[in-house]
Amino acid sequence: MSELEMPTVITAIANSEAEGFVAGTLFAQGWNVVFRAIDWGSLQTYLQSNVGISQNALLIFGTDLPGANKELVDSLSGAVRQVIGFSLPNVAAGDYGVLNPLPSVGTDLVSLV
């Protein structure tokens, strides 16, 4: 019998409440939260140091991530499996393109992911 591979996620959200909600909800659903970046520099360092893990991970970022912009996020296309962006209340969305409002209910987050 083979082991099932747990889905992996990397969060990149500066707001601790929003990040805790995302990471906690996904962890409770069986996701493996492998890294929780609080700024662009720490995210970039992690991705460069953990290529094998990050290439199969889902990156969930918030528009509040210090140092990030649309071009930098777009440049991650080969570094992670998929990117989902959330616009956070009271934070300018910038020019990120397609963003989702941060769900307030865990089931909405899980269905979106």
Side-chain angles (χ1 to χ4, degrees), residues 7-109:
T8 56
V9 66
I10 298 168
T11 62
I13 303 170
N15 179 293
S16 60
E17 288 181 27
E19 194 284 330
F21 167 71
V22 170
T25 300
L26 294 178
F27 180 78
Q29 295 296 314
W31 285 74
N32 185 12
V33 181
V34 294
F35 189 70
R36 300 167 88 171
I38 58 170
D39 60 27
W40 181 259
S42 63
L43 174 63
Q44 203 168 28
T45 299
Y46 178 81
L47 294 176
Q48 291 170 351
S49 301
N50 298 280
V51 174
I53 295 170
S54 61
Q55 286 180 330
N56 293 317
L58 167 67
L59 171 65
I60 299 177
F61 77 93
T63 53
D64 67 338
L65 187 67
N69 59 44
K70 181 183 183 330
E71 291 76 28
L72 292 173
V73 171
D74 289 347
S75 73
L76 298 177
S77 64
V80 294
R81 182 173 40 104
Q82 184 180 0
V83 177
I84 295 177
F86 287 118
S87 59
L88 298 176
N90 304 320
V91 177
D95 184 27
Y96 280 100
V98 178
L99 293 172
N100 302 290
L102 182 66
S104 58
V105 179
T107 54
D108 292 343
L109 174 65

